Amino acid sequence: MLISHALGFKKESPIKYVSPDDTLSHAAKLLAENNIGALPVSLDGMKILGILSERDIVKALSSEGASLNSEVNSFMTTNVKKCKKTDLLRDVIKDMNAGHFRHIPVVDESDQMIEFISISDLVLAHLNEVEAENAAMRSTVSESPY
């Protein structure tokens, strides 16, 4: 299955993001309000500058001198792995597991973000794919003249 097919299982909603100069407090509020675990960091919602996760906020608050008034740019993850709609679902899941991250931006040919997906989105798409394959096999077996 391609990432483009997996996107069809994701509930449509605008991408929430924070700017690098937003505070950790603002980011934490967005995460809580939207029941999500990470936010892309961007000035325009298209060009990705980084990702700020719940884990990044916890690390920030445990470091000396950081507070909820600290800026996102000091604690965001800047080495961002991205995927494209033409990537295979299984390859993206493998990359996420190997890199120990749970969110990944989907970008177009000009490296502009078109979606921000979580490992949960990908697992749901994979389960739907497996269920459809199982249903097709059951249908084939039950229609068999044997």
Side-chain angles (χ1 to χ4, degrees), residues 40-51:
V41 181
S42 176
L43 294 172
D44 60 4
M46 306 262 311
K47 182 177 182 203
I48 301 154
L49 304 173
I51 292 178

Side-chain angles (χ1 to χ4, degrees), residues 63-129:
S63 66
E64 198 166 312
S67 74
L68 285 172
N69 292 323
S70 298
E71 290 186 353
V72 165
N73 62 20
S74 298
F75 301 101
M76 67 185 187
T77 299
T78 55
N79 185 16
V80 177
K81 176 80 174 164
K82 304 168 192 167
C83 70
K84 295 192 172 161
K85 289 169 52 170
T86 54
D87 289 344
L88 290 173
L89 176 72
R90 71 173 167 260
D91 293 340
V92 175
I93 290 174
K94 284 179 187 176
D95 286 346
M96 292 174 83
N97 281 327
H100 302 287
F101 56 92
R102 299 182 311 247
H103 299 82
I104 190 167
V106 181
V107 297
D108 63 16
E109 303 78 31
S110 37
D111 205 39
Q112 301 293 302
M113 182 170 53
I114 56 174
E115 189 57 81
F116 191 66
I117 55 178
S118 70
I119 192 73
S120 298
D121 298 324
L122 300 182
V123 168
L124 176 62
H126 178 67
L127 288 174
N128 285 326
E129 177 185 37

